[in-house]
Amino acid sequence: MELSANQFRSFLKSPDKSTKVFLFYGPDEGLVREFSKAVCLTIVDSFDDPFCYSELSANDLSSDPAKLMDELTAISMMGGDRVIRLRGATGNSKNLIEPALSLDLDTTVFVIEAGDIRKDSALVKMVKSAPHGAVTPCFHDKAQDLSALIKETLGAAGLSASRDIEDYLAQNLGSDRAISRQELNKLVLFMGDEKRPLTLEDVQANIGDSSTQTVFDIIDATLGGDLPALERRLNKAFSAGESPIAFLRLIQGQLKQLHKAAALIDAGQRSGDAMKKAGIPFFNQKKAQVQLSGKTGAHMATCLDITLNAEIDCKTTGYPDETLCRRALMRIAMASRRR
């Protein structure tokens, strides 16, 4: 069966014990890890118990595929249910995992973490069709999902925030669930026992130096035509293991807003009204005003095409993602600088 993210959250409140194999996959690696961890903790109390919990890597199993079957068929020395967690699975892991689906997993739960594989891949279809299997695709948070996470985390800590502050948080946290939750927890820790409404200064002091903020620094350097800053920030981000495709997708979202605003300005609307209608948050409007200066809707459309084509190339050509991303952002920065 297939469980959407919301359906899986409901499932966690009342787990179906007949479901023994879980596959979490998709572009949001943070959400994949969060869901995987959550289902494991419905079976075991701690990840520190080697008798009840075992964690394997798909890469390690390539040289010893029998190890997975050994773990799945082992019996806990102390009794009780066991969890086998396989991390780093890919679309090519089907043959490795397929024998496990024929086992009688009466006292074992098998949890699989995969990356951004296709929903029609052999692995997904195999687990989805298994009588005791469930698959959950993990996509990047949409605006409403991120807003719900912000309200949930702040509310649990007894903190409140105005709509403008929530908008700022949503804009700067990005779409990776694990990073967003980590940054919100950092903000809660910073506030301590203070239960006053959050201010913009509180949020900027904590969220502004996050790794996600580095992504927005890269976007700002790109759209501002600041080539030296773009080069420095890309080098730093790639060295830290940041995803090139994440940069491309985030800048696409900003370019869509700028394209809409530029088109409205081309049609004769005031820039302030155009930015508001394009959905650009108030705290970004000053920056957007600079990015829109002298730019037409056609310019923004071309920049958007560059990022979309670069993302397609990352997924289809086999060329290094970092190189393709860097080239695309440099092209946009150079075009923005000349105008």
Side-chain angles (χ1 to χ4, degrees):
M1 66 176 171
E2 179 172 343
L3 298 172
S4 68
N6 286 335
Q7 288 172 329
F8 177 74
R9 292 185 181 100
S10 298
F11 174 92
L12 286 174
K13 297 176 183 177
S14 181
D16 180 356
K17 298 298 184 181
S18 66
T19 305
K20 295 296 184 179
V21 181
F22 295 86
L23 169 62
F24 303 102
Y25 72 97
D28 191 341
E29 296 179 3
L31 190 57
V32 167
R33 294 192 299 272
E34 181 175 314
F35 281 176
S36 171
K37 177 181 178 181
V39 76
C40 289
L41 290 175
T42 65
I43 308 299
V44 298
D45 296 327
S46 169
F47 295 137
D48 297 327
D49 185 347
F51 299 113
C52 295
Y53 175 78
S54 179
E55 187 171 305
L56 304 172
S57 166
N59 286 335
D60 295 339
L61 292 178
S62 59
S63 59
D64 185 14
K67 186 174 182 180
L68 175 61
M69 297 297 289
D70 291 342
E71 289 287 352
L72 288 169
T73 55
I75 299 175
S76 173
M77 294 179 60
M78 308 302 293
D81 293 340
R82 300 180 68 240
V83 173
I84 308 303
R85 187 178 184 182
L86 178 63
R87 314 188 74 168
T90 68
N92 296 324
S93 301
K94 173 182 178 294
N95 293 336
L96 178 69
I97 293 169
E98 187 171 19
L101 300 184
S102 61
L103 295 175
D104 178 13
L105 299 174
D106 183 45
T107 59
T108 302
V109 170
F110 183 23
V111 181
I112 307 162
E113 296 180 16
D116 191 8
I117 58 178
R118 294 170 58 93
K119 66 178 181 180
D120 59 352
S121 69
L123 176 60
V124 173
K125 291 195 290 187
M126 180 181 69
V127 177
K128 182 179 178 180
S129 62
H132 54 311
V135 301
T136 297
C138 299
F139 301 110
H140 288 296
D141 280 333
K142 297 178 181 178
Q144 59 268 32
D145 298 326
L146 190 52
S147 178
L149 176 64
I150 292 168
K151 286 182 169 65
E152 171 194 332
T153 307
L154 296 183
L159 296 172
S160 62
S162 67
R163 177 63 180 273
D164 289 342
I165 297 299
E166 288 184 2
D167 287 345
Y168 181 89
L169 281 167
Q171 182 75 12
N172 285 272
L173 285 173
S175 55
D176 185 283
R177 173 58 65 100
I179 294 176
S180 298
R181 188 178 292 279
Q182 179 181 0
E183 293 301 309
L184 287 169
N185 288 337
K186 185 171 69 174
L187 177 60
V188 168
L189 182 64
F190 170 80
M191 295 300 295
D193 294 330
E194 291 190 67
K195 303 305 178 186
R196 58 177 173 77
L198 291 171
T199 67
L200 186 59
E201 289 72 22
D202 295 329
V203 176
Q204 288 177 330
N206 290 272
I207 306 300
D209 62 351
S210 69
S211 60
T212 306
Q213 185 62 37
T214 300
V215 176
F216 289 99
D217 288 340
I218 287 171
I219 293 174
D220 291 344
T222 301
L223 297 177
D226 190 343
L227 290 169
L230 177 58
E231 181 71 19
R232 289 195 307 271
R233 289 165 182 168
L234 281 174
N235 290 340
K236 180 179 178 181
F238 290 153
S239 296
E242 298 289 348
S243 167
I245 291 180
F247 296 155
L248 294 171
R249 287 180 175 170
L250 285 168
I251 199 172
Q252 285 165 20
Q254 193 153 331
L255 282 169
K256 287 175 183 177
Q257 290 182 327
L258 292 172
H259 174 245
K260 184 175 181 179
L264 291 170
I265 293 172
D266 291 346
Q269 293 203 20
R270 294 175 58 253
S271 61
D273 294 336
M275 287 188 290
K276 186 175 180 180
K277 289 182 179 180
I280 298 174
F282 83 99
F283 52 81
N284 263 355
Q285 289 184 6
K286 184 175 181 181
K287 187 187 302 179
Q289 181 73 57
V290 175
Q291 294 167 349
L292 286 165
S293 179
K295 313 295 193 306
T296 64
H299 169 83
M300 294 300 177
T302 299
C303 292
L304 184 57
D305 284 343
I306 289 173
T307 62
L308 290 169
N309 289 332
E311 182 178 351
I312 292 172
D313 288 344
C314 285
K315 297 176 178 178
T316 59
T317 64
Y319 292 121
D321 291 357
E322 291 184 9
T323 301
L324 294 170
C325 175
R326 189 186 297 270
R327 184 177 66 180
L329 298 188
M330 286 294 181
R331 286 179 63 192
I332 294 172
M334 291 177 68
S336 299
R337 186 179 60 171
R338 286 198 299 265
R339 290 175 176 265

